[in-house]
Amino acid sequence: MRFNNILEAIGNTPLIKLNKITRGIKGTVYAKMESMNPGLSAKDRIAIHMIEKAEQEGRLKPGGTIIEATSGNTGFSIAMISAIRGYRCVLTVTSKVSKEKINLLKAMGARVVICPKSAKPEDPASYYERAKKFAKDIPNSLYLNQNFNIDNCEAHYMSTGPEIWKQTEGKITHLICSTGTGGTLSGTAQYLKEKNPNIQIIAIDAYGSVLKKYYETGIYDENEIYSYRIEGTGKNIIPDNVNFNVIDQYVKVTDKQSAFKARRLAKQEGMLVGYSSGAVLQGLFEVRNQMKKDDVIVLIFADHGSRYLGKIFNDEWMEEQGFLYGQKNYKYMLRFRKFLRSI
Ligand SMILES: Cc1ncc(COP(=O)(O)O)c(C=O)c1O
């Protein structure tokens, strides 16, 4: 493979079989490794597509400024594209995003504005409202708005869906995918359902997000909202990019179990993938009894684990969250630490 620039390396990510961690689960389970995009996440696909559409339609002009409200991954992809195409970029993020992610954005030349994670979406201090305001104030700028820009979903309809269909030779029976903006799931699922309407689409949501309840009842319930730790999964708004019609089942997963699944993926499968990938794997475990021996299950692993070294892959962070308490090795770990302090 030889490319003229880094952007040409976006997409065509491998599909890799999980062998140990899924032992006992019927069917064959594959991971779609979006962490192997050049920007280390699935967001490369949507960033390049949204930017190219805006260029074609004259909404983005040479030398312009790209603005986005992003939990980090989309921002990284936008910054990467901006570096190649000569745009400036301003990214608003919430204070929930890891330090590593913020440093990554800055390393790529982006201007990063941190907004309080507790701000409600309509609050002028929220990362959505700050992005809108920047787009108003900065001349020749464009707010990409990944939650409501349907080009997000279209990117996955045009690339991720066809890739999975081809890589499984049309044998896929289940797709399990996180929902944040909804673009990955909706675009991929739309393509796959057009090929075979029997494919089961299982969407993953976090406790603290409104999406699952909205799917099941049509009610946007503010009482569902509270702060949680998984990044990229779940929302406190209903994005246009979640196409609820293609979803067969919504599953909620906990911060703790998702974190442990991501850690096990590294140790058992050699895959250093992100927190939401752990959430997707946890989702599979929640529905494992539905699977049959001939099923072909595809999990979408959205990003790379290097972005969470200070969080789920850091024992102190895990301990601060109370995740380690009661674990098999916890007492041993405490004793070992005490021993180290004593010498
Ligand atoms: C790490 C991670 N996982 C999953 C998602 C969800 O993908 P989508 O926005 O396409 O629903 C995101 C989106 O922000 C993400 O950053």
Side-chain angles (χ1 to χ4, degrees), residues 295-319:
D295 286 343
V296 175
I297 304 146
V298 175
L299 315 180
I300 298 191
F301 286 174
D303 75 348
H304 198 270
S306 56
R307 292 185 173 163
Y308 306 87
L309 294 182
K311 292 196 168 181
I312 53 175
F313 298 110
N314 174 339
D315 284 346
E316 270 104 65
W317 184 87
M318 290 288 284
E319 198 181 356

Side-chain angles (χ1 to χ4, degrees), residues 182-234:
T184 311
L185 177 131
S186 307
T188 308
Q190 178 75 39
Y191 181 89
L192 293 173
K193 285 259 188 196
E194 280 172 21
K195 287 289 182 187
N196 174 5
N198 295 325
I199 295 171
Q200 290 298 296
I201 308 296
I202 301 170
I204 304 302
D205 195 15
Y207 286 98
S209 152
V210 296
L211 296 175
K212 179 172 186 275
K213 176 142 189 197
Y214 187 80
Y215 169 74
E216 285 167 355
T217 63
I219 295 166
Y220 172 83
D221 185 355
E222 273 202 357
N223 296 321
E224 291 282 300
I225 301 172
Y226 58 86
S227 181
Y228 59 92
R229 298 172 189 89
I230 309 171
E231 292 175 34
T233 303

Side-chain angles (χ1 to χ4, degrees), residues 25 32 34 48 70 115 138 149 168 181 202 215 218 236 298 306 316 329-330:
I25 294 182
K32 178 70 171 158
E34 289 302 288
I48 189 72
T70 162
C115 309
I138 300 173
N149 184 340
T168 62
T181 68
I202 301 170
Y215 169 74
N236 58 356
V298 175
S306 56
E316 270 104 65
N329 298 332
Y330 188 61

Side-chain angles (χ1 to χ4, degrees), residues 43 71 73-74 101 146 152 156 178-185 231-233 276 302-303 308:
K43 297 296 181 173
S71 70
N73 282 325
T74 308
K101 274 192 180 176
Q146 60 172 332
N152 167 357
H156 290 286
S178 235
T179 42
T181 68
T184 311
L185 177 131
E231 292 175 34
T233 303
S276 71
D303 75 348
Y308 306 87

Side-chain angles (χ1 to χ4, degrees), residues 23-308:
R23 223 171 258 156
I25 294 182
K26 288 181 187 145
T28 310
V29 184
Y30 292 99
K32 178 70 171 158
M33 298 296 285
E34 289 302 288
S35 54
M36 292 172 78
N37 275 296
L40 308 186
S41 87
K43 297 296 181 173
D44 282 0
R45 296 178 189 266
I46 70 160
I48 189 72
H49 190 62
M50 291 191 298
I51 289 170
E52 286 184 344
K53 284 289 277 281
E55 287 171 342
Q56 284 155 19
E57 291 165 11
R59 288 181 283 122
L60 183 60
K61 301 198 179 61
T65 301
I66 302 175
I67 294 160
E68 185 58 324
T70 162
S71 70
N73 282 325
T74 308
F76 186 91
S77 304
I78 293 169
M80 181 176 80
I81 297 162
S82 298
I84 303 292
R85 299 266 167 103
Y87 298 115
R88 289 193 305 160
C89 91
V90 176
L91 307 169
T92 61
V93 303
T94 73
S95 47
K96 166 172 154 179
V97 169
S98 64
K99 265 216 187 84
E100 297 102 303
K101 274 192 180 176
I102 290 166
N103 287 341
L104 280 168
L105 300 178
K106 288 185 177 164
M108 298 300 285
R111 198 182 139 204
V112 183
V113 181
I114 302 168
C115 309
K117 66 178 177 191
S118 53
K120 289 193 172 165
E122 61 285 0
D123 184 330
S126 77
Y127 77 141
Y128 302 120
E129 287 302 312
R130 291 292 302 277
K132 274 189 213 158
K133 179 92 173 39
F134 280 125
K136 248 193 226 156
D137 295 346
I138 300 173
N140 190 16
S141 66
L142 176 76
Y143 175 26
L144 282 179
N145 200 355
Q146 60 172 332
N147 286 301
F148 295 94
N149 184 340
I150 291 300
D151 296 334
N152 167 357
C153 179
E154 192 178 76
H156 290 286
Y157 178 84
M158 290 170 65
S159 63
T160 322
E163 284 172 29
I164 292 174
W165 182 254
K166 212 164 142 205
Q167 286 168 315
T168 62
E169 293 160 336
K171 295 193 177 96
I172 175 172
T173 57
H174 296 77
L175 177 77
I176 310 188
C177 181
S178 235
T179 42
T181 68
T184 311
L185 177 131
S186 307
T188 308
Q190 178 75 39
Y191 181 89
L192 293 173
K193 285 259 188 196
E194 280 172 21
K195 287 289 182 187
N196 174 5
N198 295 325
I199 295 171
Q200 290 298 296
I201 308 296
I202 301 170
I204 304 302
D205 195 15
Y207 286 98
S209 152
V210 296
L211 296 175
K212 179 172 186 275
K213 176 142 189 197
Y214 187 80
Y215 169 74
E216 285 167 355
T217 63
I219 295 166
Y220 172 83
D221 185 355
E222 273 202 357
N223 296 321
E224 291 282 300
I225 301 172
Y226 58 86
S227 181
Y228 59 92
R229 298 172 189 89
I230 309 171
E231 292 175 34
T233 303
K235 278 278 159 181
N236 58 356
I237 55 170
I238 310 292
D240 281 356
N241 274 304
V242 188
N243 177 359
F244 292 98
N245 297 324
V246 294
I247 297 170
D248 294 291
Q249 196 177 343
Y250 237 118
V251 176
K252 283 226 189 209
V253 293
T254 66
D255 286 339
K256 182 175 170 177
Q257 287 174 310
S258 304
F260 278 110
K261 285 291 185 301
R263 285 163 69 103
R264 274 180 63 195
L265 275 166
K267 290 191 177 118
Q268 295 187 310
E269 302 288 344
M271 291 175 175
L272 189 64
V273 288
Y275 206 164
S276 71
S277 305
V280 167
L281 180 62
Q282 178 56 30
L284 167 64
F285 275 75
E286 301 284 338
V287 298
R288 60 190 292 171
N289 293 337
Q290 298 173 19
M291 302 305 166
K292 293 190 280 308
K293 102 174 168 353
D294 293 330
D295 286 343
V296 175
I297 304 146
V298 175
L299 315 180
I300 298 191
F301 286 174
D303 75 348
H304 198 270
S306 56
R307 292 185 173 163
Y308 306 87

